[in-house]
Amino acid sequence: MAKIVVTGGGLIGLSTAMLLADDGHEVTVLERDPAGPPAVADEAWTEWERRGVNQFRMIHFFLPRFRLVMEKELPRVIEAFDAAGALRLNPLKDAPPELTGGFRDGDEIFEAVTARRPVGETVVATLAESTPGVTVRRGVAVVGLITGTPVTPGVPNVTGVLTESGEEISADLVVDATGRRSPLPTWLADAGARPPDEELDDCGFIYYGRHFRSADGSVPFALGGLLQHYDSVSMLTLPADNGTWGVGVITSAKDPTLRALRDVDTWTRVVRSYPLIAHWLDGSPIDEQVAVMAKIEDRHRDFVVDGTPVVTGLVAVGDSWACTNPSVGRGISIGVLHAVALRDLVRSHDLNDPLGVAKEWHDITIATVEPFFRSTLAFDRHRLAEIDAQIAGVPYEPDDPGWKLGQRLQAGVGADPELLRGFLKIATLNATPEEVFADNGMIERALRVGGPLEDTPAPGPNRAELLAAVAG
């Protein structure tokens, strides 16, 4: 059994630690933030400070793919979610049968078990700290890597980490799970490694969100998808745990007029102007201000350059490897898929072959999670360009058949149960767009049914009416 160090004690780092420890490995998790989770998960909203997670109290959703992976690999996580008051929902159970064609065998893949981010993280942290083989050390900041004899010339071989206090912690494998703010490139440079190939850009979106709670423990009924696109903005309505939910407005960072959404009254007035969204404000706010998330990076790191790893003895998982616009919780689901893939690699490959592990990890990452990252990034780039065109008052007409086909698929979800299921497979991270459109007849259905509906907007203000609502 191996001695493994995980840097970063968030959802993905702790899930990785539990997966590895369940196989008998000795796993130490090092987390910079000093505070641990509260005893009661619902109290995390007010009591737990996670300064290292800038989206900790932003609106959040755990996708059905998260539930599917956890029920198979770490079922105690979903059991604890349920016990903490997490919400189970399946759009194909809740929607009218005339829209869905009735609930079918296989539709259970669309069931989510979801909660606010602090509640979900409390559940996972509490379980990890009670998992045999896992040691969670909080308030321990990693500042560098320890290296030993290289297994291939010019490639540092990591044998442990150095903490801020000067402590050296050895390991057979170091797993970087420090997330969006991962300092891994700095650590690698200090260790003499070549830099990874990195794609980096501002995702271009700004989120303005608030949370609410009902008096009776219910959540509002969704009149449409959780993510709805309108003229120059998108709206998020995300059910959560214990009768709570989040509402968010997504704008372009190039839209300075909408920065007025930081003001509670302005935000409320704007959200009320959308007929399918307004009733989501019929609850008691549980945050005093509008939470704002901006300067979100789209980032991807490739740790094998020209066929050779930049480092051995270390791997990156989840957002430390790649991160995108965090709409509707895709990053968490991608992260747990990545964590399971790492567990499987450690099962099948001898860690005494660090060069082989590094190369195999690169190949596994490309096969398992890279397609979801790429499809997410492609959609976000198109949607941002579409918003910018809407702000300018010009049509958005990209020369990309994939985007156009996706728009027709989404337009047809209310008129064809098969298109609805195809769309949900993509939205819930159960399939990539390429996999959905590979199904026999799906392209023809999208063109025939969704094509005529594509230019029918959802009821809501146009750009001029939106600006009027902002101005009050």
Side-chain angles (χ1 to χ4, degrees), residues 93-237:
K93 280 186 177 179
D94 300 332
E98 56 268 25
L99 176 66
T100 66
F103 197 77
R104 308 173 185 171
D105 288 343
D107 287 345
E108 62 275 3
I109 68 170
F110 302 119
E111 180 172 271
V113 177
T114 190
R116 290 165 292 169
R117 176 69 178 262
V119 171
E121 194 153 324
T122 296
V123 167
V124 174
T126 301
L127 285 174
E129 292 181 356
S130 64
T131 295
V134 174
T135 300
V136 181
R137 297 180 57 187
R138 298 188 179 276
V140 178
V142 174
V143 296
L145 305 172
I146 302 169
T147 58
T149 304
V151 295
T152 191
V155 178
N157 183 46
V158 174
T159 58
V161 297
L162 177 67
T163 72
E164 194 172 44
S165 66
E167 181 184 5
E168 295 186 357
I169 304 174
S170 63
D172 299 309
L173 179 69
V174 172
V175 180
D176 178 37
T178 49
R180 287 181 169 271
R181 297 176 175 178
S182 168
L184 185 53
T186 299
W187 296 347
L188 292 174
D190 291 344
R194 294 179 301 158
D197 277 347
E198 186 170 77
E199 305 168 28
L200 180 63
D201 194 14
D202 190 312
C203 85
F205 294 103
I206 300 179
Y207 285 71
Y208 301 89
R210 297 197 75 192
H211 285 83
F212 299 83
R213 188 189 295 269
S214 67
D216 60 4
S218 64
V219 297
F221 185 78
L223 302 175
L226 301 182
L227 175 63
Q228 299 184 31
H229 304 298
Y230 293 90
D231 188 348
S232 76
V233 298
S234 296
M235 308 295 291
L236 272 173
T237 50

Side-chain angles (χ1 to χ4, degrees), residues 10 31 33 50-57 117 121 181:
E31 166 56 45
D33 287 347
R50 292 281 280 116
R51 297 184 184 278
V53 183
N54 62 339
Q55 68 271 34
F56 192 59
R57 285 183 176 79
R117 176 69 178 262
E121 194 153 324
R181 297 176 175 178

Side-chain angles (χ1 to χ4, degrees), residues 30 37 54-55 71 86 132 184 191 258 294 314 338 364 378 413-414 443 462:
L30 305 177
N54 62 339
Q55 68 271 34
E71 280 190 338
L184 185 53
L258 295 191
L314 179 148
H338 213 194
I364 289 172
V413 298
I443 292 178
N462 59 30

